[in-house]
Amino acid sequence: MSPDSPPAARRPRMLDWRIRFGVLALIWGFSFLFIKVGTEGFAPFQVTFGRLLFGTAVLAVAMAVKRERLPRGRRTWLHLTVAAFLLNALPFSLFSYAELTIPSTLAGICNATTPLWGMVLSLVALSEDRPTRVRAAGLGIGFIGVLTVLGAWQGFSGLDVTGTAMALLASFSYAVGWIYVRRTLTGTGASNLSLAGTQVGLATLQLAVVTPLFTSLPSTVEIVPLLAVIALGALGTGYAMLLQYGVVAEVGPTTAAMVTYFIPVIATAAGVAVLDEQLAWNTPVGAVIVLAGAALTQTRGPRRATAAGAEAAAIRASGAPATEPATPPPSRRPAARHS
């Protein structure tokens, strides 16, 4: 049986997995639009805090319904605290700040560079993850795509360097966080939902400390930005995770991870159609090149196909946009584990 083959027997689903897959792609693709709209009424840290708060509420309800227990062990909680920062608090905040000065379309495309950063980091951090010619070519192609999106031949004219750098740093943080999770939280014995729900909850606590230090309460609360933040958290950080669990369980992590390649397309279409953002020719062309390179970097030999799929799914879920179950299933251990 292949890694993506569903088990022989399972409870019937109300909706076909393809429909749920499409809804998942739409939710994560529109998350960049929600961030943009949210920052029109709230400070970036407030957008991130609201996103995490509403996401935690959805996951807490799911955990209560399924009677999931919280993870046990001080080491697990310490590792989850670090993962919460790298995979939720930091990248979510960076994207919120980035979208103060860059279009949501560009933020969505920058998010698609996570697999490229992941490959670069895996060469250093994971000794079992060695490059092939195809993956090395994919890395090169991907970064050519990044330069195309940014218009490097024009000297990055008209581009907000700080905002773009923040968006790219957010994607880099996702990759760092996944490497950290892979090395520290695999095989804890806790369920994915328990680990991810706890992680998002810890990220909420981190923002609860930071947000009052750097922001003040808005004088007025506008309904549209508020609804955008609620949707960003409840849908993009809560419900989307539950959707992804179902898709992974039914068709496997490799197929589920393909949602990664639809997100920048939807983010771009949403930004242009809803927010009337301008789109130069190099943005969609560069995005296609980035996605092609990212796809090549995810190719593995048959022995590591399962681990590769789990990694890609975890990177996507961690919040990109974020990136949410940032931990692989306990039963799917990487080919080699580093303690």
Side-chain angles (χ1 to χ4, degrees), residues 27-312:
I27 290 174
W28 275 333
F30 268 83
S31 290
F32 295 96
L33 181 149
F34 293 148
I35 293 171
K36 190 74 170 180
V37 175
T39 55
E40 293 176 358
F42 300 97
F45 275 137
Q46 292 170 344
V47 172
T48 303
F49 175 67
R51 173 183 190 172
L52 290 167
L53 181 64
F54 289 110
T56 298
V58 171
L59 294 173
V61 170
M63 290 175 64
V65 169
K66 296 185 177 183
R67 298 182 179 180
E68 294 280 359
R69 294 183 177 181
L70 292 174
R72 297 181 179 180
R74 185 175 63 178
R75 285 175 61 93
T76 298
W77 278 78
L78 289 174
H79 290 317
L80 282 171
T81 301
V82 176
F85 176 75
L86 292 173
L87 289 169
N88 301 110
L90 178 60
F92 289 3
S93 299
L94 286 171
F95 272 122
S96 294
Y97 271 100
E99 291 199 41
L100 290 176
T101 56
I102 67 172
S104 64
T105 54
L106 179 56
I109 293 170
C110 288
N111 182 79
T113 64
T114 297
L116 304 179
W117 297 120
M119 178 183 168
V120 171
L121 290 170
S122 69
L123 300 180
V124 177
L126 300 173
S127 60
E128 80 275 10
D129 206 1
R130 293 306 181 201
T132 62
R133 291 182 180 179
V134 173
R135 296 182 68 206
L139 184 63
I141 291 171
F143 281 109
I144 289 173
V146 172
L147 294 176
T148 303
V149 170
L150 302 182
W153 65 92
Q154 305 176 95
F156 307 108
S157 176
L159 184 72
D160 184 82
V161 176
T162 301
T164 305
M166 284 184 175
L168 290 172
L169 183 59
S171 299
F172 180 78
S173 181
Y174 288 144
V176 173
W178 165 245
I179 297 294
Y180 181 83
V181 163
R182 183 171 170 181
R183 299 188 67 168
T184 61
L185 286 171
T186 301
T188 61
S191 72
N192 258 11
L193 179 58
S194 175
L195 289 170
T198 303
Q199 176 187 302
V200 176
L202 288 170
T204 305
L205 293 177
Q206 293 170 4
L207 263 294
V209 173
V210 171
T211 301
L213 298 177
F214 294 95
T215 66
S216 57
L217 292 175
S219 56
T220 60
V221 177
E222 299 179 25
I223 186 63
V224 174
L226 177 60
L227 291 175
V229 172
I230 293 173
L232 182 64
L235 295 177
T237 307
Y239 179 62
M241 179 190 299
L242 301 178
L243 273 179
Q244 195 214 27
Y245 282 147
V247 174
V248 170
E250 188 165 347
V251 300
T254 303
T255 299
M258 292 300 293
V259 72
T260 301
Y261 305 109
F262 291 89
I263 291 169
V265 177
I266 295 171
T268 300
V272 172
V274 180
L275 300 179
D276 199 27
E277 295 178 345
Q278 299 300 311
L279 193 66
W281 69 267
N282 58 295
T283 301
V285 171
V288 171
I289 298 173
V290 167
L291 292 175
L296 290 175
T297 65
Q298 298 307 297
T299 59
R300 302 291 207 284
R303 290 184 179 180
R304 291 219 299 275
T306 301
E311 174 177 346

